[in-house]
Amino acid sequence: MISAILFLLVLTFLFLGVPVAVSLGLSSLIIIIFFSSDSVSSVALQLFKASQNYTLLAIPFFVLASAFMSTGGVARRIIRFAIASVGHFKGGLAMASVLACMMFAALSGSSPATVVAIGTIAIAGMRQVGYTRDFSAGIIANAGTLGILIPPSIVMVVYAAATDVSVGRMFLAGVVPGIVAGLMLMIAIYVMARVKNLPAEEWKGFGEIVAGGKEAGWGLFLIIIILGGIYGGVFTPTEAAAVAAVYAFAVALFVYRDMGPMKGQPWIAEDASPSARIGFSGTVYAVAFFFVFMILSFFATADMDGVTLQGRTLVGLVLSLGVMFAYIIWRGRPHGDVSILGALRDSLPVWGRNLGLTARNFFPAFFAEDTRKVMVEASRTTIMLMFIIVNALLFAHVLTSERIPQTITDAMIGAGFTWFTFLIAVNLLLLLGGQFMEPSGLLLIVAPVVFPIAMELGVDPVHLGIIMVVNMEIGMITPPIGLNLFVTSGITGMSLLQVVKAALPFVAVLFAFLILVTYVPMLSTWLPYSLMGPEIVTR
C-alpha cells in the first residue's frame, strides 16, 4: 500500500510539472510524516549522509573538466584528427563526426556537452560538403549519447553511488560497449552512404593523421591521465576527476590558448627563424615524451621488482634526448645550416617569451572573463545534478526503510520471473521512463528498486549498470524530454519534431545495440573483471 502511494505521489507531482528533485523529496517527506514509523529527523540525517558521499564528489570535477574541454577548442582539434582518420570513406565526414563524439565522450562524461562541442562544428562542416541538415543532425544527436557510455561518465558515477558498485569497474565496463556502439553507428552510416552516394573526403595521407593527432594530443592525453591513473593505482576516481579538472583548465588556457588572457597568442612568432622553430618544437616533443614515458612506465612496471624511479627517470631522459636530436636532424635537413646546438640556442628566446607570457598571465587567467563563465556554467550544472541526487537518495532511503524493493522482489520471483524476462521488464521500464525524466534522476529512482531483484536473480551488478546506462542513452534521443533532441534543436535551428524525425533511423541502431548489450553480458564484464576481478556484492 505504502509503495503504491509513494509512486503515485511522484507521478502526480511530475505530471503537474513539479521539478524532478522536488517531486522525489516532497513525496518522500509526505510518506515519512503520514505513513511511516520513521522519524522526520531521518530526513536531515539522509541529507547529511548524501553530502558525505565521497563518490559523488567526482561529479562537480568531471563537470568542470567537461566545461573547460568544451570551451577550450579541444573539439575542433579532435574533429580534424577524426576526419584525417576516416574521412576518406564514403560518408567519411559523418563517420568522422561519430569518431569525434567517441573521443570527446572520453573527455567530457556528458552527453549534451558532447553534442554541443562536436555538433556545433561538425554539422556545419557536413552541410558545406553536401549532407542534408536532417542527416547531419540525426547523426550528432545519436552519436552524442556516447558521452554517458564511454568513460568517464557522470551517469556511471551516479549509478555507483546509488548501488555501491565500484566506479572503476563501471568505467572499464563502458569501454567495449562504447566502441561497439560507435562502430555500429559508423557501419550504418557507411551503408547509407553507399546507397545515397554520399561524398568522401580526399585522402590526405598519414602525415595529416599524425599532424591531427599531435594537435589533439594534449586534450586526448586526459584519457590516459584519468583511466591510467585510476587503474594504475595512482588515485581514486574522485581524485582522478579533480586532476582532470586542473589539467583541462591548464590545457585550455595555457597550452591551446583558446580562452583567457592569452587567447590567440601563438607559441612561435611569425618572424621566428627556421632554426628557432625547429629547436623549440624539438624541446617541446622531448619534454612531452619524457612525461608520457614516466606515466606509462609507472603503470607498466608497477608490479616489477627492481624498477626504481631513478632508473625510469634516467631511461626517460636518454630517450627524450634521442627524440629531440632525431627531430632536429630530420627537420633541419631541408635548411642545411641548422645544427643541433644552433637550434637549441635559437629556441631559448622562444622559450623565454612563452615562459614570461605564462608567468605574467598565470594569476589573471584564474579571474579572466572566460574562466568565470566556465566556472559559473559548471556550477549551475553541478547544483542541478546534486539537488536531484540528494532528493533521490532520500527517496531511496524511504524505499529501503519500507522494504519496498524486497516486496517487489518477492512478487516478481513468485510470478516466475527469470533473469531473461526480468531484463526485458527493466528495459521497458527504463525506455518508458527515459522519455520523461533526466537520466540521473531516473536512474536514482529505478536503481534502488531493481538492483536487489537483479542480485536475487543472478544478474551481474556491473552488467546491470551498463544496461541502465544504454537505456539512458536512448532516453536522451526520444521525445518528449530527450535532452539531446533539445540541444541538437538549439544548435541547428530545427524544430523538435524535425530533430526527432532526423534521429529516428539511427535510434534503431541503438535499439539493436541495447539488445546486444542486454543478452551478451561479456561485452560489459570481460574487461573490468579481467583487470580488477569480479564485483563482490553483499546481500
Side-chain angles (χ1 to χ4, degrees), residues 190-216:
Y190 181 75
V191 172
M192 295 176 70
R194 301 291 296 185
V195 173
K196 297 183 177 182
N197 195 29
L198 295 177
E201 296 294 299
E202 179 185 353
W203 169 245
K204 298 180 181 179
F206 289 103
E208 175 65 12
I209 296 178
V210 173
K214 287 193 299 184
E215 193 176 50

Side-chain angles (χ1 to χ4, degrees), residues 333-352:
R333 282 178 181 173
H335 303 281
D337 57 343
V338 175
S339 64
I340 293 176
L341 291 178
L344 294 177
R345 181 190 64 243
D346 294 341
S347 71
L348 293 178
V350 181
W351 274 107

Side-chain angles (χ1 to χ4, degrees), residues 220-482:
L220 295 176
F221 189 63
L222 181 60
I223 303 172
I224 297 176
I225 291 177
I226 295 174
L227 299 183
I230 292 172
Y231 304 116
V234 181
F235 33 65
T236 66
T238 302
E239 293 165 347
V243 171
V246 174
Y247 180 83
F249 167 79
V251 168
L253 275 84
F254 299 112
V255 179
Y256 286 150
R257 298 178 179 176
D258 288 318
M259 58 183 292
M262 293 188 289
K263 184 176 181 178
Q265 292 282 351
W267 279 86
I268 304 177
E270 293 183 1
D271 58 351
S273 66
S275 178
R277 290 176 177 271
I278 293 170
F280 179 75
S281 297
T283 51
V284 168
Y285 288 137
V287 172
F289 180 89
F290 175 77
F291 283 110
V292 171
F293 174 84
M294 293 300 292
I295 293 173
L296 295 182
S297 64
F298 172 82
F299 300 145
T301 62
D303 298 327
M304 296 183 184
D305 296 330
V307 179
T308 63
L309 174 64
Q310 292 82 357
R312 290 192 299 111
T313 302
L314 181 60
V315 172
L317 286 173
V318 171
L319 292 176
S320 299
L321 290 174
V323 168
M324 182 178 67
F325 294 154
Y327 178 85
I328 293 174
I329 294 170
W330 172 54
R331 298 295 291 179
R333 282 178 181 173
H335 303 281
D337 57 343
V338 175
S339 64
I340 293 176
L341 291 178
L344 294 177
R345 181 190 64 243
D346 294 341
S347 71
L348 293 178
V350 181
W351 274 107
R353 170 181 167 273
N354 282 285
L355 291 175
L357 187 65
T358 301
R360 289 193 301 273
N361 291 283
F362 182 77
F363 288 107
F366 286 86
F367 306 99
E369 181 67 16
D370 289 339
T371 306
R372 187 189 68 81
K373 288 180 179 178
V374 169
M375 296 289 287
V376 169
E377 187 61 34
S379 299
R380 287 175 178 169
T381 303
T382 299
I383 291 170
M384 178 194 71
L385 285 173
M386 298 306 285
F387 186 54
I388 292 173
I389 289 169
V390 166
N391 283 279
L393 290 176
L394 177 60
F395 179 81
H397 165 71
V398 174
L399 290 176
T400 303
S401 63
E402 299 301 323
R403 296 184 57 82
I404 293 174
Q406 288 80 359
T407 303
I408 297 174
T409 301
D410 294 339
M412 294 187 75
I413 293 176
F417 272 73
T418 65
W419 71 272
F420 189 93
T421 52
F422 166 74
L423 291 180
I424 293 176
V426 169
N427 282 334
L428 291 175
L429 175 64
L430 292 172
L431 289 173
L432 180 63
Q435 298 179 28
F436 300 96
M437 291 188 64
E438 189 272 336
S440 297
L442 176 61
L443 191 147
L444 282 166
I445 293 173
V446 176
V449 177
V450 303
F451 188 80
I453 306 172
M455 298 306 98
E456 190 69 31
L457 294 174
V459 178
D460 187 273
V462 171
H463 179 215
L464 177 67
I466 296 300
I467 292 172
M468 298 186 78
V469 171
V470 174
N471 275 284
M472 298 301 100
E473 282 189 279
I474 297 176
M476 300 188 83
I477 47 174
T478 50
I481 314 293

